[in-house]
Amino acid sequence: MLNRTAGFTLIELMVTLVVATTLIVIAIPSFKSFYAHARADSSIRKIQQSIQLARNHAVAYGSRVTVCPVTGLDCSENWHNNITVFSDSGQPNLIDGNDQVIYQIGPFNSKDYVGYNRAAIRFLPDGLASGTNGTLSYCPDTINHSESRAIIVSQSGRVRFSQKNNISCE
């Protein structure tokens, strides 16, 4: 009787490695797209929830609340930085006096682009957005990525996700 040891031959291992490598090479572009989609979706939802929190806080406490990217104690135009929600009882767009930081997000992935057509989003005590409509865009990896997402803030204070397919962060 022949004694046979259990195991794999060199040929079987090489074939397995070739098949596995081929599958990985084919799957990597799909994973990049999936990761970009998940990152954009997660980040835009965090931003949307922060804006909703600001509006709810303004109505509940009867105070002006600002959402903006803060550098030092002042609002900046770089929405890629930390986005801060704060009560804004003093000078607009500046954390001063009795102002209180309510919530903060960020910074976002260094490859991504975040843009808004205003310096800040301000909610008045009645829940209205102070003066302007705005669209905040989040683009993973490139300015015109197919997985880009956007939020629209209306003057009435309503915050909704954009249904557009071609969103740009320019």
Side-chain angles (χ1 to χ4, degrees):
M1 190 185 275
L2 292 173
N3 281 347
R4 193 155 183 201
T5 58
F8 297 106
T9 65
L10 183 59
I11 301 290
E12 290 171 332
L13 288 174
M14 294 299 289
V15 168
T16 304
L17 284 174
V18 167
V19 169
T21 303
T22 304
L23 290 175
I24 289 172
V25 167
I26 292 171
I28 285 178
S30 296
F31 284 130
K32 284 184 179 180
S33 177
F34 175 75
Y35 179 61
H37 171 77
R39 193 172 67 236
D41 193 54
S42 171
S43 296
I44 202 72
R45 286 184 188 283
K46 283 181 190 175
I47 295 168
Q48 185 261 350
Q49 290 168 355
S50 299
I51 296 170
Q52 281 295 118
L53 173 68
R55 183 176 188 223
N56 292 343
H57 196 279
V59 171
Y61 293 96
S63 64
R64 184 177 63 203
V65 177
T66 300
V67 180
C68 68
V70 173
T71 303
L73 295 175
D74 198 9
C75 288
S76 71
E77 299 271 335
N78 185 0
W79 286 85
H80 194 272
N81 283 343
N82 295 333
I83 295 177
T84 304
V85 177
F86 62 96
S87 63
D88 197 1
S89 58
Q91 183 179 348
N93 300 349
L94 179 68
I95 301 174
D96 60 354
N98 294 328
D99 295 348
Q100 205 173 34
V101 173
I102 300 165
Y103 190 71
Q104 193 171 37
I105 318 170
F108 299 102
N109 189 304
S110 61
K111 297 177 185 176
D112 297 347
Y113 300 89
V114 184
Y116 187 61
N117 56 346
R118 306 278 182 256
I121 304 168
R122 279 187 304 279
F123 290 101
L124 302 175
D126 58 4
L128 297 176
S130 178
T132 58
N133 294 331
T135 302
L136 190 145
S137 303
Y138 188 96
C139 302
D141 299 328
T142 62
I143 293 175
N144 295 316
H145 198 280
S146 63
E147 298 295 340
S148 298
R149 301 283 184 261
I151 295 173
I152 300 168
V153 181
S154 69
Q155 278 188 297
S156 67
R158 179 176 178 235
V159 181
R160 65 182 175 88
F161 293 105
S162 174
Q163 300 301 315
K164 287 175 60 176
N165 290 330
N166 298 325
I167 295 170
S168 175
C169 288
E170 292 182 292

